[in-house]
Amino acid sequence: MSGEEEENAAELKIGDEFLKAKCLMNCEVSLILEHKYEQLQQVSEDPMNQVSQVFEKSLQYVKRFSRYKNPDAVRQVREILSRHQLTEFELCVLGNLCPETVEEAVAMVPSLKTKGRAHDDDAIEKMLNDLSLVKRFE
């Protein structure tokens, strides 16, 4: 993205580096940090000395804001959202915020309706229904 262009997430103008990056939902980060925390607990003799405050705060944050806790549910959410040709950014916003209606989804991710790649309301509704099923049966 050139220095002259203004970033605008609604139009997916978020910078080339970010568009190419692999994004993770909070629930995915939570699983990774929990695994790392368990590893640190096993190798440390002093349980109070193995993790930094930043690590602990980060883990607390992603646990608090993770909509899905079960590793299978996390995998299913990514699979469901990946079927809809979303960018990583769109996928993570929807996976983190869990909109319940088409209107909420489009308000959170306006690029769903961007000219040339617009998702119709029925496709968005199906995606949201599939996500709510995962949450319900988690």
Side-chain angles (χ1 to χ4, degrees):
M1 176 183 276
S2 72
E4 297 173 10
E5 287 186 58
E6 188 173 323
E7 291 184 4
N8 183 344
E11 298 174 8
L12 287 179
K13 292 181 181 177
I14 53 178
D16 291 338
E17 302 84 20
F18 195 69
L19 278 173
K20 295 174 187 173
K22 174 79 171 174
C23 298
L24 296 174
M25 294 178 288
N26 289 337
C27 52
E28 293 169 313
V29 174
S30 178
L31 292 174
I32 292 167
L33 292 181
E34 285 179 26
H35 179 72
K36 183 65 175 173
Y37 184 79
E38 289 170 9
Q39 287 179 327
L40 292 170
Q41 293 282 21
Q42 291 173 358
V43 297
S44 177
E45 293 176 18
D46 179 9
M48 300 305 289
N49 197 22
Q50 72 277 14
V51 294
S52 71
Q53 188 175 13
V54 172
F55 183 95
E56 281 188 41
K57 294 286 185 187
S58 299
L59 180 57
Q60 288 172 7
Y61 176 88
V62 293
K63 282 175 117 175
R64 180 175 182 200
F65 292 105
S66 292
R67 302 293 181 145
Y68 306 93
K69 310 291 184 209
N70 179 313
D72 290 330
V74 172
R75 202 171 305 110
Q76 286 179 312
V77 168
R78 183 163 281 277
E79 287 172 10
I80 289 166
L81 293 171
S82 294
R83 285 186 231 139
H84 294 274
Q85 290 81 41
L86 301 171
T87 66
E88 287 286 320
F89 172 77
E90 294 168 323
L91 184 149
C92 287
V93 170
L94 294 173
N96 284 338
L97 300 177
C98 301
E100 295 180 5
T101 66
V102 172
E103 293 78 20
E104 286 179 358
V106 172
M108 292 174 190
V109 185
S111 56
L112 290 174
K113 293 289 189 174
T114 299
K115 189 176 173 182
R117 65 177 297 268
H119 295 78
D120 65 7
D121 287 356
D122 292 338
I124 297 170
E125 183 71 36
K126 166 114 176 65
M127 176 177 57
L128 298 178
N129 288 339
D130 291 348
L131 290 176
S132 70
L133 283 175
V134 171
K135 185 65 177 164
R136 193 172 309 137
F137 293 111
E138 180 179 32

